């Protein structure tokens, strides 16, 4: 495997995960929906899905992921917070501003929210690299945080989930260097979108799958045409995972484009490590690709000096193929135990409790509601009053 020579390395210096409080078993959902559980566990490749508690949202999850990073690095170097989400809580104010405050970051910080369906997180990562390139002392906190929620009893319901991934982007990164060059693809299509007046998306599921595959192929072809690496140069691949089987479909398409046989053994060898966390969490939209990356890094052999190919897809649609080069020694910087614990400590939830959470609504008429403590993470939504969300930090005693 060729080693990459990057002139001015910029990339991921630290990376951390958070997810919601509850987990719904898809076996139970299958029973309620009268379908064979194999459709969810094998056909979609999902076994549980995160269900956030009533006092959790994208801000509390993003802050919980970012807190781990801020605790270990000099927060004074973080000059920008970019939060990518498609579960926005406000049409105007960036969720990044709430997170900046909850984390106690200096007021001399830029805080912005970005959106393009599940692709938004990758745009934030690329824009962060541009800021660091301009000023190598500048660090950018990239946050991806989403709650994937579909209509009850719809085809998408089994793919729901929630998570946040925080990444610290800097010069001389300790985890992964963002390789120069990307393959891009944009097309104005209606496969999945959420008009402002809806809390769940409009989805043409079958169309979305075929558009994702087409976008993956076109983004790869653009990457190749611009002098990107050969497919054999990548030691591993990560795909956006609305459900884990989707990564298999997309990788099979890329292998077929190269005339490489995509049998189950080859697909498992290339992808199984990237799907461990996503299979348990479900879709986390902007975070999903990076949850897959963390799953890969926490389970694969040492990839030091080797390249990982990433395919980001956001409905609507935008796709990007790019490479990360793993920094020698990166494994010492991983939070494998904390990542596994965040997933393992979710409280199993009954179908009835899941439905009660789905039916729970925050006031939309300006009245006040103080929320009962439902979650156990470091941050929670305490109240809504006068159309404003009020958050609080908990002072947790580490076990
Ligand atoms: P569906 O149409 O109900 O499922 O929902 P299906 O009938 O296509 O079955 C799914 C698979 O299970 C099939 O395998 C079946 O054969 C298999 P495939 O043909 O795909 O290989 N199956 C079984 N396997 C084993 N044992 C059984 C069994 N029964 C069936 N007993 C659909 C599937 C994806 C349409 C639905 O989940 C959906 O609408 N999901 C939401 C949209 C979505 O996830 N799209 C993915 C691409 S778009 C994207 O990734 C962007 C997104 O993240 C949003 C964003 O960008 O913001 C969604």
């Amino acid at each position: 495997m060729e080693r990459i020579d990057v002139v001015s390395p910029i990339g991921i210096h630290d990376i951390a995960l958070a997810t919601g409080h509850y987990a719904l078993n898809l076996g139970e959902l299958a029973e309620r929906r009268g379908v064979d559980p194999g459709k969810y566990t094998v056909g979609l490749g999902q076994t549980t899905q995160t269900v956030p508690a009533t006092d959790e949202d994208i801000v509390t999850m993003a802050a919980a992921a970012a807190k781990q990073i801020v605790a270990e690095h000099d927060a004074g170097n973080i000059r920008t917070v970019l939060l990518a989400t498609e579960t926005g809580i406000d049409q105007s104010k960036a969720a990044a501003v709430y997170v900046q405050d909850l984390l106690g970051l200096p007021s001399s910080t830029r805080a912005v929210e970005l959106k393009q369906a599940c692709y938004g997180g990758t745009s934030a990562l690329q824009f962060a690299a541009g800021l660091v390139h301009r000023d190598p002392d500048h660090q950018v906190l990239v946050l991806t945080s989403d709650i994937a929620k579909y209509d009850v009893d719809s085809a998408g319901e089994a793919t729901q989930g929630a998570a946040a991934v925080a990444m610290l982007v800097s010069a001389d990164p300790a985890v992964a260097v963002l390789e120069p060059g990307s393959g891009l693809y944009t097309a104005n299509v209606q496969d999945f979108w959420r008009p402002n007046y809806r809390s769940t998306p409009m989805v043409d599921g079958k169309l979305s799958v075929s558009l994702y595959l087409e976008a993956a192929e076109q983004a790869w072809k653009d990457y190749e045409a611009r002098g990107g690496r050969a497919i054999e140069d990548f030691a591993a691949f990560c795909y956006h995972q609305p459900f884990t089987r989707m990564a298999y479909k997309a990788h099979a398409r890329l292998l077929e484009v190269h005339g490489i046989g995509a049998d189950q053994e080859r697909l498992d060898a290339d992808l199984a490590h990237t799907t461990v966390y996503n299979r348990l969490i479900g879709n986390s939209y902007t975070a999903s690709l990076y949850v897959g990356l963390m799953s890969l890094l926490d389970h694969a052999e040492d990839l030091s000096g080797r390249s990982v190919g990433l395919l980001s897809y956001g409905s609507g649609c935008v796709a990007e193929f790019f490479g990360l080069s793993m920094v020698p020694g990166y494994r010492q910087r991983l939070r494998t135990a904390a990542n596994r614990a965040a997933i393992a400590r979710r409280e199993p939830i009954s179908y009835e409790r899941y439905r009660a959470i789905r039916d729970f609504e925050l006031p939309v008429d300006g009245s006040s509601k103080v929320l009962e403590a439902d979650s156990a993470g470091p941050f929670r939504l305490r109240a809504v009053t006068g159309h404003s969300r009020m958050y609080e930090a908990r002072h947790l005693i580490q076990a």
Side-chain angles (χ1 to χ4, degrees), residues 381-398:
L381 179 63
R382 181 175 58 78
V384 177
T385 180
H387 296 287
S388 294
R389 289 183 186 227
M390 312 298 222
Y391 294 94
E392 74 182 3
R394 285 193 179 105
H395 298 285
L396 299 175
I397 298 158
Q398 296 297 325

Side-chain angles (χ1 to χ4, degrees), residues 247-376:
Y248 279 68
K249 289 176 193 280
H251 194 51
R253 172 72 79 96
L254 283 204
L255 294 180
E256 277 156 22
V257 166
H258 293 86
I260 302 169
D263 58 31
Q264 192 63 36
E265 197 180 333
R266 166 77 196 242
L267 292 173
D268 279 338
D270 284 0
L271 298 175
H273 293 316
T274 77
T275 63
V276 179
Y277 293 161
N278 303 65
R279 172 175 264 281
L280 297 166
I281 286 174
N283 196 354
S284 53
Y285 294 157
T286 51
S288 163
L289 173 65
Y290 301 97
V291 173
L293 175 66
M294 295 176 87
S295 179
L296 170 75
L297 301 183
D298 284 349
H299 296 94
E301 61 178 16
D302 190 358
L303 296 169
S304 290
R306 305 186 72 187
S307 282
V308 178
L310 287 91
L311 186 280
S312 183
Y313 176 77
S315 284
C317 71
V318 177
E320 177 164 350
F321 187 94
F322 64 103
L324 287 176
S325 176
M326 299 313 301
V327 175
Y330 76 90
R331 288 177 116 191
Q332 285 144 34
R333 308 303 293 257
L334 300 179
R335 299 188 151 79
T336 308
N339 299 338
R340 290 184 178 149
I343 297 170
R345 72 169 160 259
R346 293 172 308 162
E347 195 178 311
I349 193 175
S350 67
Y351 177 80
E352 285 72 23
R353 180 77 180 118
Y354 155 66
R355 285 303 303 272
I357 290 175
R358 286 293 306 238
D359 292 343
F360 177 82
E361 282 177 4
L362 296 171
V364 293
D365 58 359
S367 60
S368 297
K369 187 174 187 74
V370 175
L371 300 180
E372 283 176 24
D374 192 14
S375 61

